[in-house]
Each structure stands twice: as structure tokens, then as C-alpha cells.
Amino acid sequence: MANITELSDKTFNDETSKGLVITDFNADWCPPCKMMNPILEKLSSKDELGDKIKFTSMNVDHNPDTPNNFGIQGIPTFIIKKDGNVVGRMVGYQPEEKFRMALEKYM
């Protein structure tokens, strides 16, 4: 996904410490995660929200520490951070319009 930065446990803090950032915590085997991929890809484009929000992604199977630190128990989970502070959280599949509206309230 071209407009989405892939994170690891080592890069998470640096990549999410400035500005408005959403992180998609997911796994390759997760059907709802796969259903969110086209929505995330669309919204992360510069024509949509990509110039206002940094979109990031983390595979929970490859990076267990960060999801554990945030108490993530179900995926997909979306953590929204503003200047390094968590300001929002969504869990599970979200229809595009609902997801967009949830993100726009943080801009």
C-alpha cells in the first residue's frame, strides 16, 4: 500500500510522535483487516485525507510489543495519535463513510 507506512516495534514511536497519525494494527490472516485495506488505501491518497493524516500499519504477528503496550486484543484496531498522544481508538471493520467521519473529527 503505497501511501501507508509500514511500522515495526522499533519504528513506532518515531513515526507516530508528530502530527496526526492513524495506525492500523492488523494481521495477514484477518478477514476484517483485508476488508479495510481498500478503504485505507483510498483514504490515505493525497486526493483524500493523505495530506492531513499520516497513515501507518503494523502487523501484530511480527511486532508483538507495541500492540501489547496498547492493550490491543482484537484486530483490526486503529489508534489515532496527535503529536504523540492517543486521541482515539476504533476496533473492527468500519464502513468507509463512518471511518472517514471518525477521522475528520480529529483534523
Side-chain angles (χ1 to χ4, degrees):
M1 293 191 275
N3 302 314
I4 300 173
T5 303
E6 192 67 35
L7 302 179
S8 69
D9 285 332
K10 291 180 181 179
T11 63
F12 179 81
N13 286 333
D14 287 340
E15 293 284 345
T16 64
S17 64
K18 293 185 177 94
L20 188 57
V21 183
I22 182 165
T23 302
D24 168 22
F25 291 88
N26 61 70
D28 296 334
W29 50 264
C30 167
C33 300
K34 291 178 184 180
M35 291 170 57
M36 286 301 299
N37 286 343
I39 294 169
L40 293 167
E41 187 67 31
K42 179 180 178 186
L43 294 179
S44 68
S45 76
K46 298 296 181 198
D47 296 336
E48 294 280 344
L49 303 177
D51 60 342
K52 299 174 183 84
I53 301 173
K54 180 178 182 177
F55 284 76
T56 64
S57 177
M58 179 178 280
N59 185 308
V60 298
D61 289 335
H62 302 148
N63 302 284
D65 295 339
T66 304
N68 189 46
N69 291 343
F70 282 95
I72 292 175
Q73 297 178 351
I75 53 173
T77 292
F78 305 93
I79 300 285
I80 301 151
K81 292 176 78 179
K82 190 167 192 171
D83 296 325
N85 298 310
V86 175
V87 294
R89 178 186 287 240
M90 294 180 278
V91 179
Y93 173 80
Q94 307 290 318
E96 181 181 337
E97 276 309 305
K98 181 179 176 186
F99 195 70
R100 178 193 302 274
M101 288 190 310
L103 292 177
E104 286 175 346
K105 74 180 180 183
Y106 297 105
M107 297 189 313

